[in-house]
Amino acid sequence: MTGAQENPNMSDLTALNPEDRADLVNALKNKLQDLTGKHSVVLENLSPNVRKRVEVLREVQTQHDELEAKFNEERAALEAKYQKLYQPLYTKRYEIVTGVVDVEVDKSEKSAADQEEGEAAVEKGVPDFWLTAMKNNEVLAEEITERDEGALKYLKDIKWSRIEEPKGFKLEFFFDTNPYFKNSVLTKVYHMIDEDDPILEKAIGTEIEWYPGKSLTEKILKKKPKKGSKNVKPITKTEQCESFFNFFSPPQVPEDEEDIDEDAAEDLQNLMEQDYEIGSTIREKIIPHAVSWFTGEAAEDDEFELDGEEEDDDDDDEEDEDDEGEEEDEDEDDEDDGKTKKKQPFGTRKKTGRAAAVEGEKPPECKQQ
């Protein structure tokens, strides 16, 4: 087997031939036996009375795990049941937003301006519904540039569905005919190793068919040739830039993990986590509560929750500062004794937002093409 197969990756299982799959299964069995051996050593070092208590505790844990598995199974079934019940409501929302179905307005509620413009001038549906809803969410607002807004005005619906093989979920973005790209539907699929944890295996996005000169994910730089140069044509260079539509080109894990160093692997992990955060936000917040995000009510509720979390963080920071002060005192005491200790960093937090994935390496925002 190759080095990549000696360190098995769950995403490679379907690509293995029968011989390699058998080798992989044996390798996993050996690892399990090693772990079992370690557990046995722990138990052997306990006194007979304590060992018996731990064995009973393990039985209790097994019962708990069985109940938890049943809970996850029933939760998935319940979620599927209510997803079906939500669909008629999502359909009604779509019809009103796009103007397929109109809502009668009492003449007494119409403003003087509306009456002057006449019925022919009244806008259909709810313009910029999904764009506004997404921009009111802090996570998504960081991803949407000013240039993206022109294309996102054509977004008429977003749906999500669960997929079974492999486990995961799919997001679908439905667009009206527009001057930016040919696709009527853009999709993003998340494959999960463990959906309850959750552990992301990989993400796959639609390849966007941009019209010539309309790509929002890259910009074209033109540089004039040097004086005296035989080449009179300007030199053109294409660069990637910030755009919400980069969401459909998710970070990819190399086939051989040995191809990337530790720092690059950490950056990739951060990018994958942030990409998943965006997808989860759309699935769990925007789609089910789109109207509240459009009006801004959901954003206010979100800020209230964040304020509570920040207060908790402030308390944690104060505790960390106290701990740092105590460690500094200990370090000074050690120095007096002729000893030195290496201080460990405190309060390290994971940054949110795709821009924080690689510090100082933010792709440029496209101003023009």
Side-chain angles (χ1 to χ4, degrees), residues 280-329:
S280 296
T281 297
I282 294 170
R283 167 190 166 179
E284 297 169 7
K285 293 187 175 184
I286 301 299
I287 294 176
H289 307 292
V291 177
S292 297
W293 284 105
F294 175 81
T295 60
E297 295 165 289
E300 293 173 4
D301 294 341
D302 221 36
E303 286 176 10
F304 180 77
E305 291 178 7
L306 287 172
D307 287 342
E309 290 175 6
E310 285 173 3
E311 288 178 7
D312 294 339
D313 290 341
D314 290 340
D315 293 339
D316 293 339
D317 290 342
E318 288 175 8
E319 291 177 7
D320 289 342
E321 287 173 5
D322 292 340
D323 292 340
E324 285 180 1
E326 291 174 6
E327 290 223 352
E328 286 174 2
D329 293 339

Side-chain angles (χ1 to χ4, degrees), residues 52-287:
K52 183 63 178 175
R53 293 169 194 146
V54 172
E55 287 174 354
V56 173
L57 287 174
R58 290 177 71 187
E59 292 175 4
V60 172
Q61 183 65 54
T62 299
Q63 293 172 15
H64 172 277
D65 294 344
E66 290 173 354
L67 281 175
E68 187 176 37
K70 187 176 181 181
F71 163 74
N72 289 332
E73 183 180 338
E74 291 182 3
R75 181 178 63 180
L78 190 64
E79 187 181 67
K81 171 186 173 181
Y82 277 89
Q83 276 300 117
K84 290 181 179 179
L85 295 176
Y86 292 148
Q87 291 313 309
L89 301 177
Y90 291 156
T91 300
K92 188 173 182 179
R93 180 178 69 187
Y94 165 80
E95 290 175 345
I96 294 173
V97 166
T98 57
V100 173
V101 172
D102 204 359
V103 178
E104 290 187 9
V105 180
D106 193 290
K107 289 184 178 180
S108 62
E109 295 179 5
K110 290 186 177 181
S111 67
D114 287 340
Q115 292 176 7
E116 288 176 8
E117 289 176 5
E119 293 296 330
V122 175
E123 292 175 305
K124 291 182 63 177
V126 184
D128 306 342
F129 177 81
W130 289 101
L131 169 61
T132 304
M134 291 166 68
K135 284 181 65 180
N136 281 336
N137 179 274
E138 188 176 5
V139 172
L140 300 182
E142 290 182 6
E143 308 300 318
I144 299 172
T145 69
E146 188 175 344
R147 292 173 70 255
D148 291 332
E149 293 185 18
L152 290 173
K153 286 176 182 288
Y154 292 91
L155 180 58
K156 58 183 182 179
D157 202 8
I158 310 176
K159 297 181 180 181
W160 83 271
S161 57
R162 187 178 297 279
I163 56 176
E164 294 299 329
E165 292 297 336
K167 291 284 186 180
F169 65 94
K170 177 173 69 172
L171 297 171
E172 295 178 291
F173 298 74
F174 296 84
F175 285 84
D176 258 330
T177 302
N178 65 81
Y180 294 90
F181 48 82
K182 297 178 182 179
N183 315 65
S184 59
V185 182
L186 300 180
T187 63
K188 182 70 172 284
V189 179
Y190 288 93
H191 291 173
M192 314 300 294
I193 294 174
D194 185 342
E195 222 179 347
D196 298 314
D197 197 17
I199 300 174
L200 175 65
E201 179 186 336
K202 64 179 178 180
I204 303 171
T206 298
E207 182 178 349
I208 303 177
E209 299 177 65
W210 298 103
Y211 288 118
K214 293 293 185 178
S215 175
L216 298 171
T217 59
E218 58 186 25
K219 63 178 180 178
I220 299 174
L221 303 176
K222 293 184 179 181
K223 185 178 179 181
K224 292 182 179 179
K226 294 180 181 180
K227 289 183 179 180
S229 174
K230 293 181 179 180
N231 185 11
V232 294
K233 292 183 179 180
I235 302 170
T236 59
K237 181 181 178 183
T238 303
E239 282 189 0
Q240 293 295 117
C241 62
E242 277 191 300
S243 171
F244 169 78
F245 291 92
N246 286 322
F247 176 65
F248 298 99
S249 300
Q252 298 297 316
V253 179
E255 293 183 4
D256 190 346
E257 295 179 5
E258 295 178 0
D259 289 344
I260 57 175
D261 58 29
E262 188 174 340
D263 290 339
E266 185 176 349
D267 291 341
L268 177 61
Q269 179 67 26
N270 287 337
L271 284 170
M272 291 181 69
E273 288 176 0
Q274 286 137 20
D275 178 78
Y276 181 74
E277 181 186 17
I278 295 168
S280 296
T281 297
I282 294 170
R283 167 190 166 179
E284 297 169 7
K285 293 187 175 184
I286 301 299
I287 294 176

